[in-house]
Amino acid sequence: MSTTTSPPTPTESVEPSNGTKSLVRGTLPRWASWGVLGAAAVLAALIARLLGFGVAPFVLLTAVLYAVGISGWSRWIEGGRKATDRAFTAVVTSAFLLALTPLVSVVVTVISKGMERFDGRFFTYSMRGVVGDGGGAYHAIMGTLITSGLATLMSVPIGLATAIYLVEYGHGRLARAITFFVDVMTGIPSIVAGLFAYALFALVFGPGTVNGFAGAVALSVLMIPIVVRSSEEMLKIVPDDLREAAFALGTPKWKVILRVVLPTAVAGISTGVTLAIARVVGETAPLLIATGATGSTNLNPFSGQMATLSVFSYYEYASPGVPFEPSLDRAWTAALTLMLIVMVLNLVARSISLLFAPKAGR
């Protein structure tokens, strides 16, 4: 007569018939990670309160206590191998959260302080004749849009043409030299671009020439290598089979590039261009030198100084009036506006990437 035994549950140890210890161990409950994290946060809060720690030490202490707690509990219940895996996961997650903490702090601070003047007057008035409270950043917003737009008009054709040459035509010393100088330009400080634009316009138009177009030239110096690099990588991933199929039909190379290569890579190229604009729209040092600053609205980029949001925020914070609170409120609101512009540009880049991405089955 045969007897049947029920299989062991996952939390039970199995003793083999030969007397050796089984490798099957228990498992932690599903709420273990959140429970240990909550306990670590409470304990860290108590220690921080007793010792007078700030937010950053509190977050770091919470991460350390969480890693130690979850790995120790796992070693007791699940064994050394699973405990090592949980400890590594805890360290990686804690590192990610620690890296995210400054970003969250900056965003919360800018939003909380920038909302003080986030009203219609801020977006419709300039600082002409304003002393103390009131005024706005209309002139700086328009200056930012004008200089960034001119920089885009100059950078995109040059950068895209350079990328096409490097991928489709360049194979000699000239291509290697262009690649080298593009890499060098990618790492130059932004103030160097501003000094270059100022020196160029001083040499051509005379000393002291400061206007919006000079600032656009400085921004284009920073944008071109980004556009070249992003466009070059997008053109490289276009399958060679598409080119060869077009060549087999007798299509000239220039038409293959225009009708086959560029439409295939348009999603990545557009995303790279949008991210390049987001990269330079918040630059301060080159615009401070090449564009200058003014409290009046100047929509002519070829004549006179032109205000931009980054420079406007800098001057409002560095040289506040009396009382200083209105100037600081305008500085924070300008920073919030700039952050929103960058966020919108990143969302546009993602939308373009999804809209023009090749669809399966076409």
Side-chain angles (χ1 to χ4, degrees):
M1 180 175 171
S2 62
T3 60
T4 59
T5 58
S6 59
T9 61
T11 59
E12 295 177 348
S13 304
V14 178
E15 290 291 341
S17 58
N18 57 3
T20 60
K21 192 175 182 179
S22 173
L23 295 178
V24 179
R25 304 291 297 270
T27 57
L28 296 180
R30 293 183 178 180
W31 50 266
S33 297
W34 290 107
V36 173
L37 181 60
V42 172
L43 183 58
L46 292 176
I47 297 175
R49 184 176 181 85
L50 291 176
L51 301 180
F53 288 162
V55 176
F58 163 74
V59 174
L60 180 60
L61 184 59
T62 302
V64 173
L65 293 176
Y66 169 72
V68 173
I70 195 67
S71 60
W73 191 10
S74 177
R75 183 174 295 276
W76 181 46
I77 299 296
E78 300 174 319
R81 179 177 297 180
K82 189 66 175 178
T84 303
D85 178 71
R86 286 187 179 274
F88 182 79
T89 304
V91 170
V92 173
T93 305
S94 301
F96 167 73
L97 295 178
L98 287 174
L100 198 63
T101 301
L103 174 62
V104 174
S105 177
V106 169
V107 172
V108 171
T109 303
V110 172
I111 292 177
S112 60
K113 295 188 176 183
M115 292 302 294
E116 293 291 334
R117 281 298 318 276
F118 200 81
D119 50 29
R121 187 178 181 86
F122 182 83
F123 294 97
T124 54
Y125 284 83
S126 68
M127 289 298 297
R128 183 175 182 178
V130 175
V131 178
D133 198 5
Y138 170 77
H139 59 305
I141 296 173
M142 296 304 298
T144 297
L145 297 178
I146 291 173
T147 54
S148 301
L150 289 175
T152 303
L153 290 178
M154 290 185 287
S155 303
V156 172
I158 297 175
L160 185 56
T162 304
I164 292 174
Y165 171 79
L166 292 175
V167 175
E168 303 293 338
Y169 297 97
H171 301 288
R173 294 182 178 179
L174 180 59
R176 290 194 296 270
I178 293 175
T179 302
F180 171 76
F181 284 112
V182 168
D183 293 337
V184 172
M185 290 177 62
T186 304
I188 64 172
S190 58
I191 194 170
V192 175
L195 291 172
F196 164 77
Y198 179 82
L200 177 64
F201 276 73
L203 183 65
V204 176
F205 300 103
T209 302
V210 177
N211 52 46
F213 187 69
V217 171
L219 295 183
S220 67
V221 173
L222 300 174
M223 281 186 64
I224 287 174
I226 302 176
V227 175
V228 171
R229 274 296 174 217
S230 60
S231 301
E232 183 183 3
E233 295 300 324
M234 291 301 103
L235 294 175
K236 283 181 179 179
I237 65 176
V238 175
D240 290 334
D241 295 341
L242 296 178
R243 297 180 176 89
E244 294 172 358
F247 289 144
L249 297 176
T251 309
K253 190 168 186 175
W254 66 270
K255 189 172 290 187
V256 172
I257 295 173
L258 291 179
R259 299 291 181 85
V260 177
V261 177
L262 289 180
T264 305
V266 66
I269 294 174
S270 302
T271 302
V273 170
T274 309
L275 293 178
I277 299 173
R279 159 69 176 79
V280 302
V281 73
E283 287 291 343
T284 304
L287 298 179
L288 190 64
I289 296 174
T291 304
T294 179
S296 302
T297 302
N298 178 19
L299 302 181
N300 184 2
F302 302 100
S303 176
Q305 300 187 29
M306 178 176 288
T308 55
L309 271 174
S310 56
V311 177
F312 172 79
S313 179
Y314 167 75
Y315 273 118
E316 289 294 314
Y317 186 83
S319 303
V322 179
F324 62 88
E325 287 84 0
S327 296
L328 297 184
D329 291 340
R330 288 191 293 264
W332 283 111
T333 306
L336 175 60
T337 305
L338 198 56
M339 188 175 69
L340 292 176
I341 292 175
V342 174
M343 184 186 70
V344 169
L345 289 174
N346 280 274
L347 292 177
V348 169
R350 180 57 63 93
S351 302
I352 291 175
S353 178
L354 296 176
L355 181 63
F356 293 99
K359 301 298 188 296
R362 282 190 176 182

